[in-house]
Amino acid sequence: MTAVTISGTFSKDERPNNGLERIADDLIRNQLGRHVVVGIVQFAGATIPGPGEPLSPRVKFLAIEPLSDDAADQGRQMLDQARKLVNLGPVAETLFDAVADVDDRPDVDAGLPAADGGNLPGTEEPTIPGTGSDDGPVSERRRDEWLDGPK
Protein backbone atom coordinates (compact mmCIF):
# COMPACT_ATOMS: atom_id res chain seq x y z
CA MET A 1 0.00 0.00 0.00
CA THR A 2 1.33 3.41 -0.93
CA ALA A 3 1.58 6.00 1.83
CA VAL A 4 -0.03 9.41 1.39
CA THR A 5 1.50 12.45 3.07
CA ILE A 6 -0.76 15.28 4.17
CA SER A 7 0.47 18.86 3.91
CA GLY A 8 -0.38 20.59 7.16
CA THR A 9 -0.23 24.33 6.54
CA PHE A 10 -2.62 26.82 4.99
CA SER A 11 -1.07 29.90 3.41
CA LYS A 12 -2.17 33.30 4.70
CA ASP A 13 -4.59 33.66 1.76
CA GLU A 14 -6.03 30.18 2.35
CA ARG A 15 -6.60 30.57 6.11
CA PRO A 16 -10.35 31.27 5.78
CA ASN A 17 -10.60 27.69 4.42
CA ASN A 18 -9.12 26.27 7.64
CA GLY A 19 -12.16 25.74 9.81
CA LEU A 20 -9.97 24.07 12.43
CA GLU A 21 -8.94 27.53 13.60
CA ARG A 22 -12.47 27.96 14.96
CA ILE A 23 -11.94 25.01 17.31
CA ALA A 24 -8.30 25.80 18.18
CA ASP A 25 -9.12 26.56 21.83
CA ASP A 26 -11.01 23.29 22.19
CA LEU A 27 -8.10 21.38 20.61
CA ILE A 28 -5.85 22.76 23.34
CA ARG A 29 -8.35 22.24 26.19
CA ASN A 30 -9.31 18.71 25.13
CA GLN A 31 -6.05 17.38 23.73
CA LEU A 32 -7.20 13.77 23.69
CA GLY A 33 -10.60 14.50 22.16
CA ARG A 34 -11.58 13.60 18.65
CA HIS A 35 -13.23 15.93 16.16
CA VAL A 36 -15.26 14.96 13.13
CA VAL A 37 -14.31 17.09 10.13
CA VAL A 38 -15.18 17.25 6.46
CA GLY A 39 -12.62 18.39 3.96
CA ILE A 40 -11.49 18.54 0.37
CA VAL A 41 -7.96 17.50 -0.60
CA GLN A 42 -5.97 18.02 -3.76
CA PHE A 43 -2.79 16.42 -5.11
CA ALA A 44 0.19 18.56 -4.05
CA GLY A 45 3.14 16.58 -5.35
CA ALA A 46 4.84 13.25 -4.91
CA THR A 47 8.05 11.80 -3.55
CA ILE A 48 9.90 8.60 -4.31
CA PRO A 49 10.40 6.79 -0.99
CA GLY A 50 13.28 4.62 -2.26
CA PRO A 51 14.72 2.91 -5.33
CA GLY A 52 12.10 0.80 -7.07
CA GLU A 53 9.31 1.93 -4.74
CA PRO A 54 6.15 3.63 -6.08
CA LEU A 55 5.60 7.35 -5.93
CA SER A 56 4.17 8.53 -2.63
CA PRO A 57 1.54 11.22 -3.24
CA ARG A 58 1.25 14.30 -1.08
CA VAL A 59 -2.10 16.05 -0.66
CA LYS A 60 -3.10 19.37 0.79
CA PHE A 61 -6.43 20.38 2.22
CA LEU A 62 -8.21 22.96 0.10
CA ALA A 63 -10.83 23.34 2.81
CA ILE A 64 -11.59 21.68 6.12
CA GLU A 65 -14.49 22.26 8.51
CA PRO A 66 -15.26 20.72 11.89
CA LEU A 67 -18.71 19.23 12.35
CA SER A 68 -20.77 19.23 15.52
CA ASP A 69 -23.98 17.80 16.88
CA ASP A 70 -26.17 16.09 14.23
CA ALA A 71 -23.71 16.89 11.44
CA ALA A 72 -20.90 15.15 13.38
CA ASP A 73 -23.13 12.11 13.92
CA GLN A 74 -23.93 12.03 10.19
CA GLY A 75 -20.23 12.44 9.38
CA ARG A 76 -19.33 9.47 11.60
CA GLN A 77 -22.05 7.39 9.93
CA MET A 78 -20.76 8.32 6.48
CA LEU A 79 -17.21 7.42 7.52
CA ASP A 80 -18.37 4.08 8.91
CA GLN A 81 -20.28 3.35 5.66
CA ALA A 82 -17.26 4.27 3.52
CA ARG A 83 -14.97 2.07 5.65
CA LYS A 84 -17.46 -0.81 5.43
CA LEU A 85 -17.26 -0.64 1.61
CA VAL A 86 -13.52 -1.40 1.82
CA ASN A 87 -13.97 -4.10 4.47
CA LEU A 88 -12.97 -1.99 7.46
CA GLY A 89 -14.90 -1.58 10.66
CA PRO A 90 -15.92 1.68 12.29
CA VAL A 91 -13.18 3.83 13.77
CA ALA A 92 -12.53 2.16 17.10
CA GLU A 93 -13.72 3.85 20.23
CA THR A 94 -10.86 4.51 22.62
CA LEU A 95 -10.57 5.12 26.31
CA PHE A 96 -10.81 8.83 25.56
CA ASP A 97 -14.06 8.57 23.59
CA ALA A 98 -16.04 6.80 26.28
CA VAL A 99 -17.49 8.71 29.20
CA ALA A 100 -15.80 7.32 32.29
CA ASP A 101 -17.75 6.07 35.25
CA VAL A 102 -16.47 7.87 38.37
CA ASP A 103 -16.44 4.53 40.21
CA ASP A 104 -13.85 3.31 37.66
CA ARG A 105 -11.52 6.24 38.42
CA PRO A 106 -10.71 6.32 42.16
CA ASP A 107 -8.59 9.47 41.67
CA VAL A 108 -11.61 11.43 40.40
CA ASP A 109 -14.16 13.03 42.67
CA ALA A 110 -17.47 13.52 40.87
CA GLY A 111 -18.39 16.32 43.23
CA LEU A 112 -15.40 18.48 42.25
CA PRO A 113 -15.27 20.81 39.29
CA ALA A 114 -12.91 19.67 36.53
CA ALA A 115 -10.21 22.14 37.54
CA ASP A 116 -10.11 20.57 41.03
CA GLY A 117 -9.54 17.01 39.86
CA GLY A 118 -13.06 15.98 38.84
CA ASN A 119 -12.23 15.82 35.14
CA LEU A 120 -13.58 12.97 33.04
CA PRO A 121 -12.67 12.00 29.47
CA GLY A 122 -14.80 13.93 27.02
CA THR A 123 -14.96 17.07 29.14
CA GLU A 124 -13.46 20.34 28.00
CA GLU A 125 -10.66 20.15 30.57
CA PRO A 126 -7.50 18.03 30.07
CA THR A 127 -8.26 14.39 30.77
CA ILE A 128 -4.90 13.21 32.06
CA PRO A 129 -4.70 13.37 35.87
CA GLY A 130 -2.30 16.00 37.13
CA THR A 131 -2.63 18.37 34.20
CA GLY A 132 -4.30 21.69 34.66
CA SER A 133 -5.42 24.14 32.01
CA ASP A 134 -2.18 26.12 32.54
CA ASP A 135 0.13 23.12 32.12
CA GLY A 136 0.30 23.38 28.31
CA PRO A 137 0.11 20.52 25.83
CA VAL A 138 0.36 16.94 27.06
CA SER A 139 3.32 15.05 25.61
CA GLU A 140 2.84 11.66 23.98
CA ARG A 141 5.22 10.20 26.59
CA ARG A 142 3.07 11.54 29.44
CA ARG A 143 -0.11 10.28 27.78
CA ASP A 144 1.48 6.84 27.28
CA GLU A 145 2.69 6.75 30.90
CA TRP A 146 -0.84 7.49 32.04
CA LEU A 147 -2.29 4.82 29.78
CA ASP A 148 0.31 2.12 30.46
CA GLY A 149 1.11 2.96 34.07
CA PRO A 150 4.62 3.32 35.50
CA LYS A 151 7.30 1.17 33.93
Side-chain angles (χ1 to χ4, degrees):
M1 181 180 296
T2 303
V4 176
T5 303
I6 301 171
S7 175
T9 307
F10 279 85
S11 72
K12 186 176 181 179
D13 293 338
E14 296 169 327
R15 286 186 68 191
N17 297 328
N18 183 1
L20 297 178
E21 291 184 359
R22 285 187 284 291
I23 63 167
D25 290 341
D26 188 48
L27 291 167
I28 294 295
R29 278 193 308 269
N30 187 3
Q31 297 168 14
L32 300 175
R34 291 182 172 189
H35 302 271
V36 178
V37 300
V38 63
I40 298 174
V41 297
Q42 179 181 34
F43 178 80
T47 58
I48 301 174
E53 293 183 20
L55 288 175
S56 179
R58 185 174 60 251
V59 298
K60 71 175 188 172
F61 275 90
L62 296 177
I64 187 167
E65 289 295 328
L67 302 175
S68 60
D69 304 323
D70 289 341
D73 292 339
Q74 291 173 356
R76 281 187 192 94
Q77 291 172 3
M78 290 171 57
L79 179 62
D80 289 347
Q81 289 172 340
R83 290 175 56 87
K84 187 176 182 179
L85 292 173
V86 293
N87 298 319
L88 294 173
V91 174
E93 190 173 276
T94 68
L95 168 67
F96 303 108
D97 295 324
V99 175
D101 184 341
V102 174
D103 294 335
D104 294 337
R105 299 265 316 274
D107 59 325
V108 175
D109 180 353
L112 294 176
D116 294 329
N119 54 332
L120 296 173
T123 65
E124 292 187 294
E125 297 295 325
T127 58
I128 296 178
T131 60
S133 59
D134 297 330
D135 292 341
V138 175
S139 70
E140 288 185 31
R141 179 187 57 79
R142 184 149 183 209
R143 180 200 64 212
D144 292 344
E145 285 175 356
W146 182 66
L147 289 173
D148 300 336
K151 298 215 189 282

